[in-house]
Amino acid sequence: MNTRVIADQPAAASHASPPPKLLTSFVNGRFVSGGHEFDDINPADGTLIARVSEARPELVDEAVTAARKALAGDWGRAGVRQRAAMLYKIAEGIEARFDEFVQAESADTGKPVSLASRLDVPRAAANFRAFADLIKTAGIEAFETETPDGKQALNYAVRKPVGVVGIITPWNLPLLLLTWKVAPALTCGNAVVVKPSEETPASATLLAEVMRDAGVPSGVFNLVHGFGEGSAGEYLVSHPDINAVTFTGESRTGSAIMKACAPGLKAVSFELGGKNPAIVFADCDREQTIAELGDGIFLNTGQVCLCAERVYVERTIFDWFVSAMKQKAESLKIGWPADKDTQLGPLISTTHREKVLSYFRMAREQGAAIVAGGGVPEFGDARDNGAYVQPTILTGLPESSCCVTDEIFGPVCHIAPFDSEDEAIALANDTKYGLAASIWTSDLKRGHRVARQMNVGITWVNCWFLRDLRTPFGGVGLSGIGREGGKHSLNFYSELNNICVRTSG
Ligand code: NAD
Ligand code: 6OD
């Protein structure tokens, strides 16, 4: 096998034009390179950040074998307290290298450092702490049983690890979403093989260093770099010795992964795409709605699966709302991710921008009014080589337009009026997706009433992306299968063995 074990990630050289850093896979406690390499590009200016070594099938196999072996060793025997202690150490390791994580995440995604500092990196550490806390207090189910013919027994269920878990993640919140799955998987005693997005390999590679330095036993956390189909992602999910697959990404990819998992009947948990509605009633707190729903449309340049791309506004305030949201969109500071006051960075890549711009073109062709944005900002500097796009607001499209039905995954929404609560609910639910919805009203009775009727996994009333890690997270329809978060994660990442002990009779 053509692989090379290297002691550590190479340090940056000191001469004038250093060779690009090489990001490698991490298997059985060692960084391993070998095979084809690909570029890791900074979407803010198109420059090369690093080269990435793609894991071949043999390396993916080695990672799965190492994970299996780790389960048969000390890690498989580690108790809850020991595992929780390890998770706290990992959280501390992330915090100790906070700035490196922020830089890595911002360079790979183009997200503002201010956003990575307040959301992505703190949440990564919080994910480990939350699941360590949870496992320490997770109770077990028990029943005292009496059968009709007089036998008595004690039934109780114990949690066991599922085994080797394959984890595949996307590029929009790379570290947040990776750790959201790694933390509960490890807390339940599993070993993992993770495959981050090919677009964002850096923070996962740093996390491997943190794992090593925290003393996570070899083989418990393995990282393989590469693409999806015909590459590390596909090899991983179709590997016969993986027990479960957890995936966040596009609905279409979820479908391909499900097929790959079918022969082995592997358990799957999928967090997929969305075309999320927001319903704005005339009695909403106007200032709060524009500020917070504005985030709900444009945060992370609209590349959050929970972003609202369909906004329905009560007709009596429609004109005001469109004009206020236009003002909000046009006030957002687009710039270098490192600038403190930058609110919007680029999209993930020029390829993705081409997809987003194609929707703007189709919207125009279909007769939309482009109320704000609709194009590419010009900077007159290196950012013109990046993947920037203007925050964009569309109105006037029929609900059947592809711009209203397809997930665009950019800083864009379509705003349409409604006349009654029932109409708003029907419009919001008229989609194949079902991830998240938000409702904006001062009438909390109505808030509760409408929320219950949303065909989604998560509904926010007068807020957006306000998270409690104990709550169920996931979607219905094309937006996913299953729920993670709190005990729902514990249930996915563990198997319950029910034990029935006869006590008398
Ligand atoms: P994607 O589906 O293209 O890729 C996600 C990951 O899957 C990547 O690591 C990729 O390499 C891998 N992959 C692709 N094809 C594969 C295959 N055949 N087998 C195995 N792995 C494969 O998604 P993306 O473009 O990286 O991310 C954006 C999408 O993710 C959007 O649709 C967004 O809504 C969704 N998303 C959903 C959630 C959620 O919680 N519901 C969260 C974040 C992102
Ligand atoms: O907050 C989370 O736990 C989570 N999974 C967020 C997903 C965001 C999607 O882009």
Side-chain angles (χ1 to χ4, degrees):
M1 193 179 135
N2 183 21
T3 56
R4 182 164 59 93
V5 173
I6 51 179
D8 204 343
Q9 293 298 298
S14 56
H15 52 80
S17 10
K21 186 169 174 157
L22 181 67
L23 301 178
T24 73
S25 296
F26 179 75
V27 171
N28 204 18
R30 295 179 304 180
F31 286 98
V32 186
S33 70
H36 173 249
E37 290 176 11
F38 61 95
D39 289 344
D40 177 18
I41 298 291
N42 186 331
D45 57 8
T47 53
L48 181 70
I49 301 168
R51 298 274 291 161
V52 189
S53 176
E54 182 182 7
R56 295 163 176 232
E58 295 88 338
L59 190 57
V60 175
D61 186 47
E62 221 180 279
V64 175
T65 305
R68 177 72 49 209
K69 212 168 135 211
L71 288 171
D74 288 349
W75 182 250
R77 289 185 287 276
V80 160
R81 287 173 69 88
Q82 201 179 335
R83 297 198 305 255
M86 186 61 80
L87 263 71
Y88 292 130
K89 243 177 136 177
I90 297 166
E92 285 160 20
I94 292 170
E95 284 162 351
R97 300 181 67 177
F98 190 91
D99 291 345
E100 282 176 84
F101 274 104
V102 167
Q103 292 308 326
E105 204 70 329
S106 172
D108 268 7
T109 59
K111 71 178 69 199
V113 289
S114 56
L115 180 60
S117 307
R118 78 166 190 274
L119 173 67
D120 303 71
V121 181
R123 208 8 236 287
N127 283 338
F128 284 101
R129 289 217 170 82
F131 286 106
D133 288 347
L134 189 68
I135 196 72
K136 288 198 302 186
T137 54
I140 56 171
E141 217 176 18
F143 299 94
E144 286 187 319
T145 307
E146 286 180 29
T147 64
D149 60 350
K151 290 175 193 141
Q152 293 185 333
L154 176 65
N155 272 285
Y156 64 97
V158 291
R159 279 186 191 284
K160 302 178 68 166
V162 171
V164 179
V165 180
I167 299 179
I168 310 263
T169 48
W171 44 256
N172 62 325
L173 305 170
L175 184 68
L176 185 160
L177 292 170
L178 186 71
T179 53
W180 169 242
K181 293 175 181 297
V182 170
L186 296 189
T187 210
C188 291
N190 299 284
V192 301
V193 182
V194 309
K195 210 291 289 167
S197 169
E198 55 275 24
E199 306 274 9
T200 52
S203 57
T205 312
L206 270 180
L207 184 67
E209 293 184 5
V210 165
M211 293 280 172
R212 178 199 59 196
D213 298 345
V216 173
S218 296
V220 171
F221 175 89
N222 303 277
L223 157 72
V224 290
H225 283 302
F227 301 82
E229 197 181 345
S231 182
E234 185 181 334
Y235 306 147
L236 179 59
V237 296
S238 34
H239 196 291
D241 213 18
I242 290 276
N243 299 96
V245 171
T246 175
F247 166 71
T248 303
E250 275 195 39
S251 305
R252 227 180 345 203
T253 312
S255 176
I257 291 179
M258 200 163 180
K259 275 191 205 132
C261 290
L265 292 175
K266 291 170 191 138
V268 294
S269 170
F270 288 166
E271 296 176 352
L272 308 175
K275 187 74 182 176
N276 309 302
I279 302 179
V280 182
F281 288 97
D283 65 357
C284 69
D285 176 327
R286 293 189 180 200
E287 202 179 320
Q288 184 201 32
T289 303
I290 294 300
E292 299 204 12
L293 179 52
D295 267 357
I297 297 165
F298 300 119
L299 191 85
N300 207 37
T301 317
Q303 301 163 118
V304 179
C305 59
L306 308 160
C307 277
E309 290 195 4
R310 296 181 295 136
V311 181
Y312 300 105
V313 181
E314 196 161 358
R315 195 178 296 277
T316 51
I317 60 161
F318 182 78
D319 290 343
W320 163 80
F321 182 89
V322 170
S323 135
M325 199 51 91
K326 169 184 164 70
Q327 219 180 334
K328 167 88 187 175
E330 290 175 347
S331 73
L332 290 170
K333 170 96 174 43
I334 310 177
W336 285 109
D339 285 352
K340 279 204 184 79
D341 54 352
T342 292
Q343 292 168 294
L344 281 199
L347 292 167
I348 187 66
S349 64
T350 47
T351 309
H352 183 51
R353 180 173 67 179
E354 199 33 58
K355 174 188 157 187
V356 172
L357 290 174
S358 76
Y359 277 98
F360 294 176
R361 280 194 295 275
M362 288 186 279
R364 276 194 187 91
E365 284 158 18
Q366 292 167 16
I370 314 274
V371 173
V376 169
E378 282 179 23
F379 299 99
D381 59 29
R383 285 171 292 182
D384 292 336
N385 302 322
Y388 288 88
V389 71
Q390 292 169 328
T392 296
I393 295 176
L394 312 171
T395 59
L397 287 169
E399 289 294 300
S400 58
S401 159
C402 58
C403 304
V404 183
T405 58
D406 299 0
E407 181 186 52
I408 302 175
F409 220 52
V412 53
C413 70
H414 179 253
I415 310 179
F418 69 84
D419 291 301
S420 70
E421 187 177 304
D422 285 348
E423 188 194 0
I425 293 167
L427 287 166
N429 284 337
D430 188 15
T431 171
K432 291 199 269 283
Y433 291 102
L435 186 56
S438 62
I439 296 158
W440 305 85
T441 177
S442 298
D443 178 350
L444 280 188
K445 275 193 188 157
R446 172 157 60 193
H448 285 286
R449 186 170 65 234
V450 176
R452 297 173 71 89
Q453 296 177 74
M454 293 292 99
N455 292 337
V456 296
I458 307 137
T459 304
W460 280 290
V461 179
N462 295 328
C463 55
W464 176 78
F465 204 2
L466 196 165
R467 295 280 288 118
D468 179 328
L469 306 188
R470 298 167 299 184
T471 59
F473 185 96
V476 305
L478 288 188
S479 292
I481 296 181
R483 296 289 182 276
E484 297 198 33
K487 69 174 185 214
H488 309 278
S489 295
L490 299 189
N491 287 343
F492 178 73
Y493 294 102
S494 54
E495 292 288 4
L496 294 178
N497 174 9
N498 188 71
I499 297 169
C500 177
V501 180
R502 185 147 173 182
T503 48
S504 74

